[in-house]
Amino acid sequence: DVQLQASGGGSVQAGGSLRLSCAASGFTFDDYSIGWFRQAPGKEREGVSCINSGYGDKYYVDSVKGRFAISSDRAKNTVSLQMDSLKPEDTAVYYCAYRRGSCHAVAGEYDYWGQGTLVTVSS
């Protein structure tokens, strides 16, 4: 089975940076996507960013464009999310997820999930 391990969360002040990593293993398909989602208390899980392995297509939710950058290291099977200029509203548990094929904004379209890593941004 596919296994995902998210790491890199922590506490920072507004304007700071964090880098999340998602180590993936157990998959054999060449065309897949790794997405980053987040869920704040009392809110629905939200798609933040996604990268597709085939063409390297990248997607971002409007609220993080220009501040977050997703990248992949295929040799290490790792997808990273560099988060700069963090805001208090970015506070959430961040999850990475895997699906075959292209990126999708809906959490239910992903088949495997990591355990989540908490990001807290204070004002």
Side-chain angles (χ1 to χ4, degrees), residues 29-106:
F29 302 105
D30 289 334
D31 184 17
Y32 63 90
S33 296
I34 300 291
W36 283 100
F37 290 77
R38 64 186 179 187
Q39 189 164 19
K43 294 188 177 181
E44 293 187 354
R45 194 165 294 190
E46 173 191 35
V48 175
S49 183
C50 182
I51 187 167
N52 175 257
S53 67
Y55 298 98
D57 294 343
K58 302 176 182 180
Y59 299 93
Y60 302 94
V61 69
D62 286 345
S63 60
V64 307
K65 286 181 180 177
R67 300 189 297 121
F68 290 11
I70 193 169
S71 60
S72 66
D73 184 336
R74 298 198 68 175
K76 296 181 180 179
N77 281 345
T78 300
V79 172
S80 298
L81 185 68
Q82 177 67 38
M83 306 187 298
D84 298 323
S85 301
L86 282 162
K87 303 176 180 179
E89 51 263 45
D90 295 318
T91 295
V93 177
Y94 284 71
Y95 301 87
C96 59
Y98 165 96
R99 74 185 302 270
R100 291 179 60 183
S102 59
C103 285
H104 204 292
V106 177

